[in-house]
Amino acid sequence: MTNAADEFHFTLSATDGAARTGLVHTPRGQIRTPAFMPVGTAGTVKAMYASQVRETGADIVLGNVYHLMLRPGAERVARLGGLHRFMNWPHPILTDSGGFQVMSLAKLRKLDEKGVTFQSHVDGSRHVLTPERSVEIQGLLGSDIQMQFDECVKLPCSDEEAERAMELSLRWAQRSKEAFGEQPGKALFGIVQGGANPDLRVRSARALVDMDFKGYSIGGLAVGEPQDVMLAMIETVEPHLPKTKPRYLMGVGTPDDIVESVRRGIDMFDCVMPTRAGRHGLAYTRFGKVNLRNARHADDPRPLDPDSSCPAARDYSRAYLHHLVKAGEILGMMLLTWVNLAYYQDLMAGLRAAIAEGRLAGHIAETKELWTKGDLPPL
Amino acid sequence: MTNAADEFHFTLSATDGAARTGLVHTPRGQIRTPAFMPVGTAGTVKAMYASQVRETGADIVLGNVYHLMLRPGAERVARLGGLHRFMNWPHPILTDSGGFQVMSLAKLRKLDEKGVTFQSHVDGSRHVLTPERSVEIQGLLGSDIQMQFDECVKLPCSDEEAERAMELSLRWAQRSKEAFGEQPGKALFGIVQGGANPDLRVRSARALVDMDFKGYSIGGLAVGEPQDVMLAMIETVEPHLPKTKPRYLMGVGTPDDIVESVRRGIDMFDCVMPTRAGRHGLAYTRFGKVNLRNARHADDPRPLDPDSSCPAARDYSRAYLHHLVKAGEILGMMLLTWVNLAYYQDLMAGLRAAIAEGRLAGHIAETKELWTKGDLPPL
């Protein structure tokens, strides 16, 4: 028994060219799109309290099936009441299928039609991931937006290899969908594959749309190819995706990747970049990237950005941040992760407002001009 | 031009046996005693926002001269407006003199009458610490409560060695006091040394009291000796210290060390234990120590202590904390450091209330009974 309000659905509120702004509705809350989803790999957005992640403006976070199935284990998370309760994040959660990371992190992996057999990078234990098991794990975690199991090839790769993996991913899409069944309030997304080959990408998108998913991901991009290849693939795929469903570009990306993808009709993003960079002394601000390791900051009393929405960017001197980073202090990682996630959310809020007001092109031009101008000159 | 309110002073509000409760008054705020001072070694209480440290109930934090002089440098901190502004902590700060850590951390150190010459453990650079330079550095940092430069010997040691170091520390006390001069609103404490020899301890205390410091530290304890030796030294020294000045037991300690020292008339404490333990998976609660690495917690949905004042102890399951610790997640360090600092502050608040109400012995007995009973049984 569910009514329409409990159903997972997407409402479009405005468009500007190919760009869109709207809301993904889930029983756990709405996701304002275009949305950036901070990555909470192992049940934590690293170096952040969950409440802080929320306060930056995040409507949803991502969890990784590969990491969580190995530690603490999906059945354990389920017994403990699901991932939302486990990590004190009552808002929507999206999970990947584990397919990408099993190929990049696991040892001794073996892939066949059935799925992937691999050894844990944590303790060497043997595991099997199939479309059915991936969907089962995502259900045990309680994920609101789940991904089909897929095979993601590294770029560049041959057309034959891209086609084989794309076709396998389509068969796995069908099996994932059958395993998922009907789950009111939750969604399973299909994942468009096909490497850097436009024909393969179109075939993949059409076949997935025929299966009728609640949303569509574009996978296998931002895996080493130049940005123009990635953007060309988005432009190729986008016309084949229904306007009424959200589109998620997996694992992307830099602020520039994001604005260019939003311009081309993408609604959802995730990337470790803001969190990982924050742990390595790199800040993202309106002025572009700022490397706090640089000695130029050692005596600089100015904050990173006095007009930021984020206390970490306003209330601490660059000199202090530099000191913390150089000394390897945990607080440095905490503050810069916070700065970066706040900047990414501010970036998305700016894009949403610009689309709603039909001024996206100008807004992107202004945003890029500030990046190009670069950080404040030294004192 | 200062009035009495701007002067550093101590007011005693109640005693219970040798135990005391009162207020240390500084222009930056009052310190409720007995007080525990979290250690902010290098300008940060590790893994905590300064505002959080305050919210646990801390009135004062400690900074380390040795670490701060090497990185970022005392002159630099002064140019940036002092340590309070640097680390966003507007409340009182106490600094050590660098004497203890130069002997435990620095390389190629050479000690003579003048002071200590040593190589930085950070970059191998050569530095000199003397009583005069230590006081100068503490002034550059803007410290509210400063320590004389002293030599702290490791226990056990010969009486000859303890006496030599104690006598040297007395000469350095005099030089520190002359270098400090008159600084309204700020205090310099003398440090009682003398190893585990009662006669030396008494001689040290009397000589320092003759010099008339604004407070007295007891140094050279909790350096490897059994607890009964430490408590005996406190009992030996305490009658020779003026009732009207605060007494600070340096580097102590475990919760048990603290309650037994409070019982014997100590007013101030600092220790890395709650912060360091928190980074290594160990929690302090009303039930004693809880090792979150232990597999017994892996499936335990209960919080560490549902009645704690600290959200980290109330709002996260032991299973989640166990997972974070096992996975080496920064959030695990953040949450357990928070739990521990909150527990230490709650412990001090309980001791203060018990002294004020003349029921310290009973309160300590109840506190210890809970520790002895130990943590909750497994589910």
Side-chain angles (χ1 to χ4, degrees), chain B residues 24-168:
Chain B
V24 175
H25 303 264
T26 85
R28 287 190 186 272
Q30 296 178 336
I31 303 150
R32 295 163 289 179
T33 66
F36 179 78
M37 306 184 282
V39 177
T41 305
T44 157
V45 175
K46 291 184 194 296
M48 294 281 286
Y49 298 106
S51 57
Q52 272 185 298
V53 175
R54 181 66 172 175
E55 283 161 19
T56 63
D59 293 331
I60 178 170
V61 299
L62 181 142
N64 287 118
V65 155
Y66 174 77
H67 287 93
L68 292 165
M69 72 182 283
L70 297 182
R71 188 170 55 194
E75 276 74 9
R76 171 170 286 145
V77 173
R79 283 195 302 273
L80 291 162
L83 185 57
H84 299 81
R85 178 185 294 185
F86 190 58
M87 65 187 284
N88 274 11
W89 175 264
H91 317 292
I93 292 177
L94 180 147
T95 44
D96 65 7
S97 69
F100 177 78
Q101 291 183 316
V102 81
M103 297 310 283
S104 58
L105 294 178
K107 293 182 290 189
L108 293 177
R109 50 189 184 271
K110 190 175 76 65
L111 178 141
D112 59 21
E113 185 67 28
K114 185 166 178 297
V116 184
T117 306
F118 64 94
Q119 271 196 339
S120 161
H121 75 287
V122 175
D123 62 4
S125 56
R126 193 175 158 282
H127 297 266
V128 180
L129 260 184
T130 61
E132 293 76 15
R133 176 61 179 156
S134 174
V135 167
E136 182 182 23
I137 288 172
Q138 295 180 74
L140 287 164
L141 297 174
S143 170
D144 303 286
I145 305 182
Q146 305 179 20
M147 295 298 122
Q148 71 150 98
F149 195 57
D150 66 336
E151 185 192 354
C152 173
V153 293
K154 284 216 175 76
L155 293 181
C157 82
S158 68
D159 285 344
E160 291 67 30
E161 175 66 0
E163 181 169 20
R164 183 200 56 73
M166 183 274 279
E167 294 285 1
L168 177 65

Side-chain angles (χ1 to χ4, degrees), chain B residues 10-11 20-24 31-35 59 246 267-268 352:
Chain B
F10 177 64
T11 53
R20 309 127 54 86
T21 183
L23 291 171
V24 175
I31 303 150
R32 295 163 289 179
T33 66
D59 293 331
D267 305 308
M268 299 167 68
R352 290 193 296 265

Side-chain angles (χ1 to χ4, degrees), chain A residues 42-338:
Chain A
T44 158
V45 176
K46 290 183 194 298
M48 294 281 285
Y49 298 105
S51 57
Q52 273 186 297
V53 175
R54 180 66 172 175
E55 282 161 19
T56 63
D59 294 330
I60 177 170
V61 299
L62 181 142
N64 287 118
V65 153
Y66 174 78
H67 287 92
L68 291 165
M69 71 181 282
L70 297 182
R71 188 171 55 193
E75 276 75 9
R76 170 169 287 145
V77 173
R79 282 195 302 274
L80 291 161
L83 186 57
H84 300 80
R85 178 185 294 186
F86 190 60
M87 64 186 286
N88 274 10
W89 175 265
H91 317 292
I93 292 177
L94 180 148
T95 44
D96 65 7
S97 69
F100 178 76
Q101 291 183 315
V102 82
M103 297 310 282
S104 57
L105 294 179
K107 292 183 291 189
L108 292 178
R109 51 189 183 272
K110 190 176 77 62
L111 178 143
D112 59 21
E113 184 67 28
K114 186 167 177 297
V116 184
T117 306
F118 64 95
Q119 272 195 337
S120 161
H121 75 288
V122 175
D123 63 5
S125 56
R126 193 174 158 283
H127 297 265
V128 179
L129 260 183
T130 62
E132 293 77 16
R133 176 63 180 156
S134 174
V135 167
E136 181 181 22
I137 289 172
Q138 295 180 76
L140 287 164
L141 297 173
S143 169
D144 303 286
I145 304 182
Q146 306 179 19
M147 294 298 122
Q148 71 149 100
F149 195 59
D150 65 335
E151 186 193 354
C152 173
V153 293
K154 285 215 176 76
L155 293 180
C157 81
S158 69
D159 285 343
E160 291 68 29
E161 176 66 0
E163 182 169 18
R164 184 200 56 72
M166 183 275 279
E167 294 286 1
L168 178 64
S169 295
L170 285 180
R171 294 192 296 278
W172 286 358
Q174 188 60 46
R175 283 168 56 191
S176 297
K177 194 160 192 297
E178 283 161 20
F180 183 80
E182 293 296 322
Q183 297 191 31
K186 294 185 185 293
L188 179 73
F189 281 23
I191 303 179
V192 178
Q193 291 288 359
N197 182 312
D199 293 339
L200 295 178
R201 287 278 173 183
V202 170
R203 272 172 51 196
S204 175
R206 286 186 172 164
L208 291 169
V209 172
D210 285 345
M211 294 183 211
D212 190 24
F213 283 91
K214 292 188 184 171
Y216 298 91
S217 305
I218 304 179
L221 294 178
V223 289
E225 78 286 3
Q227 191 197 45
D228 59 352
V229 172
M230 180 183 84
L231 298 179
M233 287 304 106
I234 296 170
E235 290 174 9
T236 299
V237 167
E238 191 273 337
H240 300 280
L241 299 177
K243 304 278 181 225
T244 54
K245 303 284 176 73
R247 298 98 173 250
Y248 161 34
L249 182 59
M250 304 181 79
V252 173
T254 64
D256 192 72
D257 287 342
I258 288 177
V259 298
E260 291 304 334
S261 303
V262 163
R263 196 204 294 271
R264 288 162 176 81
I266 300 294
D267 305 307
M268 300 166 68
F269 301 87
D270 80 284
C271 191
V272 295
M273 202 167 281
T275 38
R276 181 172 291 166
R279 296 197 305 282
H280 290 88
L282 204 62
Y284 286 93
T285 77
R286 293 183 298 134
F287 313 116
K289 282 191 288 190
V290 182
N291 185 352
L292 271 309
R293 291 198 167 274
N294 195 308
R296 65 177 276 200
H297 303 295
D299 285 292
D300 195 331
R302 297 172 299 178
L304 269 173
D305 180 357
D307 298 323
S308 170
S309 66
C310 177
R314 283 195 320 260
D315 301 344
Y316 300 83
S317 67
R318 289 157 181 256
Y320 185 58
L321 297 171
H322 171 78
H323 165 65
L324 294 176
V325 168
K326 293 290 282 185
E329 286 288 349
I330 291 171
L331 182 61
M333 304 187 198
M334 292 162 62
L335 290 171
L336 292 179
T337 301
W338 192 7

